[in-house]
Amino acid sequence: MPLLQEYHIDLGFPLDGKGQKPATSGGVRWQPFVPPKPLDEGERRLVSALQEGLPLFIRPFAVLASRVGCDESEVLERIRRWCAEGIIKRFGVIVRHRELGYMANAMLVHDIPDADVGEIGERLACATGVTLCYQRPRVPPEWPYNLFCMIHGQDRAQVEASIAELRARLGLTGYAHDILFSLTRFKQRGAHYA
């Protein structure tokens, strides 16, 4: 099921216990992929180094520069350009949420009329506790759902209560839905391209 519209994709977890959504949430619009210009050898080395993750040093980009054989300023300028061109959408940290105490997570799926999915997706994306929100196509008759959002919590009961409160507050109780709890945690890592 391909991604049709991205409303919020950011696994930012509040560490202060107040449950506030990070300031970068909501309103992110999916853009169609535009192939970038071919990479030169130095750019390929940089992509390869970046996908391994940033080193835990005071100046991680200087370490990357030494690995790929250029100056730190060149690495930073290349990354700025890739961000401006939309080639790099964001830098993130792989969060192992269970180690932070988030032991339950559920994908809340809704069957929303196509004419309303954008507006409701935007509202869900801004809701506290929603870490992912996006639209995918239905696959009838087996899968009637088209709007997906992820909710994390300390335990299953907390997640179910959060979902009930969220659905009531946003007026979603009249829409068909399902709650899919994760049973297994798979290996978590960033994207790899080269």
Side-chain angles (χ1 to χ4, degrees):
M1 294 189 299
L3 180 71
L4 297 178
Q5 181 69 47
E6 173 182 316
Y7 300 106
H8 177 65
I9 299 198
D10 183 2
L11 290 174
F13 288 91
L15 300 179
D16 61 3
K18 296 177 183 166
Q20 295 300 310
K21 187 173 269 300
T24 59
S25 66
V28 176
R29 289 285 181 186
W30 176 82
Q31 296 294 321
F33 176 73
V34 176
K37 294 173 261 172
L39 301 177
D40 63 32
E41 182 57 34
E43 291 171 323
R44 281 194 293 277
R45 285 195 309 269
L46 179 56
V47 168
S48 183
L50 279 170
Q51 69 190 13
E52 296 305 317
L54 293 178
L56 297 175
F57 289 95
I58 293 172
R59 294 180 55 202
F61 297 103
V63 174
L64 285 179
S66 69
R67 288 182 187 166
V68 300
C70 64
D71 295 330
E72 179 183 24
S73 62
E74 291 176 73
V75 166
L76 290 169
E77 181 52 38
R78 176 73 57 204
I79 291 170
R80 278 189 198 99
R81 184 167 55 86
W82 286 341
C83 289
E85 293 171 354
I87 294 168
I88 294 177
K89 290 182 9 177
R90 66 182 178 273
F91 274 94
V93 175
I94 301 298
V95 176
R96 290 180 170 78
H97 56 276
R98 291 177 189 246
E99 285 79 355
L100 295 175
Y102 293 89
M103 303 303 286
N105 57 300
M107 182 63 75
L108 170 62
V109 293
H110 283 99
D111 179 10
I112 304 293
D114 291 337
D116 300 330
V117 73
E119 185 264 328
I120 292 173
E122 294 287 345
R123 287 181 22 223
L124 271 170
C126 294
T128 299
V130 173
T131 55
L132 302 170
C133 186
Y134 48 83
Q135 179 187 7
R136 293 190 186 274
R138 297 175 182 86
V139 183
E142 296 86 11
W143 189 257
Y145 306 111
N146 62 341
L147 187 59
F148 298 62
C149 68
M150 182 67 77
I151 315 262
H152 296 269
Q154 305 283 318
D155 58 46
R156 190 177 181 113
Q158 180 190 31
V159 171
E160 288 170 337
S162 294
I163 288 171
E165 185 276 328
L166 176 68
R167 284 178 37 81
R169 183 168 34 91
L170 295 182
L172 302 177
T173 56
Y175 297 107
H177 76 289
D178 205 346
I179 302 170
L180 311 169
F181 278 92
S182 297
L183 301 176
T184 303
R185 179 172 72 175
F186 296 96
K187 181 177 180 179
Q188 296 169 293
R189 69 173 198 163
H192 277 63
Y193 302 100

